[in-house]
Amino acid sequence: YNGNLQTAVFNNYDEELLTVSGNTGTNAGTYTATFVPKYDYCWSDGSVDSKDVAWVIGKANGTVTLSKTSVTLNSDTTSTTVTVSNNSGDVSVVSRDTSVMTVTLSDDVITITSTGKNGDVNIAVSVAESENYKSITKTISVKCDFLKIVTWADGTYEEISAMLDAHYAGTIDISDYWSV
């Protein structure tokens, strides 16, 4: 399939001996071309009746374009959007782990929202098979990298420092986690 009117070409077809109809088509699918002998021409089996031959326009590969194929969600960016475009079929999106983040699709915009948990999750963006196109799936890689909440006694130096940095940046209130 290429969106244009296509004409089937047959080996050993001689327009001096035969007329052909049904040998053009635009959409993917199976067509029937009919050959009718002219004048006194006959087939190799001696018949003079018309003969039908099936021919096919195959489906094109599906297409999908994503404005981003990887995103990172964190305390500063808990949600983001990805624009999807295609010309081949209905789009669906699925998060491989909804405990880490969720996805929604509205028109051509995918909204990715974290649940606040850390993790690496893939989103499958699928375009369904249609009349003229095969199905296709692409992946968006999502990294959720949030502050790890630790106790003063059990946290590593780096984890405790990260919590203090978040407190001084105004992202968290340290008194919600530690009593001093």
Side-chain angles (χ1 to χ4, degrees):
Y1 173 77
N2 63 14
N4 297 314
L5 182 67
Q6 298 184 58
T7 302
V9 177
F10 298 95
N11 291 334
N12 300 322
Y13 167 67
D14 185 344
E15 64 183 40
E16 297 291 322
L17 303 174
L18 303 166
T19 60
V20 64
S21 62
N23 63 329
T24 61
T26 301
N27 292 320
T30 301
Y31 295 84
T32 302
T34 302
F35 293 89
V36 178
K38 290 182 180 179
Y39 317 111
D40 292 330
Y41 179 77
C42 65
W43 299 105
S44 60
D45 64 3
S47 68
V48 293
D49 296 330
S50 64
K51 302 253 184 209
D52 292 337
V53 175
W55 63 280
V56 175
I57 296 177
K59 291 185 178 194
N61 290 329
T63 61
V64 64
T65 303
L66 303 169
S67 62
K68 301 175 207 170
T69 57
S70 66
V71 296
T72 299
L73 300 177
N74 53 39
S75 299
D76 296 326
T77 307
T78 59
S79 182
T80 191
T81 59
V82 175
T83 303
V84 59
S85 60
N86 83 92
N87 64 353
S88 56
D90 295 331
V91 178
S92 63
V93 295
V94 175
S95 166
R96 299 294 186 201
D97 188 349
T98 57
S99 71
V100 175
M101 58 95 209
T102 60
V103 293
T104 58
L105 176 65
S106 179
D107 296 322
D108 293 333
V109 177
I110 300 167
T111 302
I112 305 167
T113 306
S114 75
T115 63
K117 293 184 180 179
N118 289 328
D120 296 332
V121 179
N122 287 331
I123 298 171
V125 181
S126 300
V127 178
E129 183 173 339
S130 65
E131 178 184 12
N132 292 310
Y133 294 94
K134 298 174 187 175
S135 63
I136 185 172
T137 299
K138 287 200 175 179
T139 302
I140 302 171
S141 300
V142 181
K143 179 175 184 64
C144 293
D145 190 16
F146 288 89
L147 179 66
K148 182 176 179 183
I149 304 299
V150 296
T151 66
W152 186 265
D154 295 331
T156 66
Y157 175 79
E158 290 79 14
E159 293 167 336
I160 292 169
S161 293
M163 285 184 68
L164 288 171
D165 290 344
H167 169 76
Y168 293 125
T171 313
I172 66 169
D173 182 350
I174 203 73
S175 66
D176 291 341
Y177 306 101
W178 298 338
S179 295
V180 178

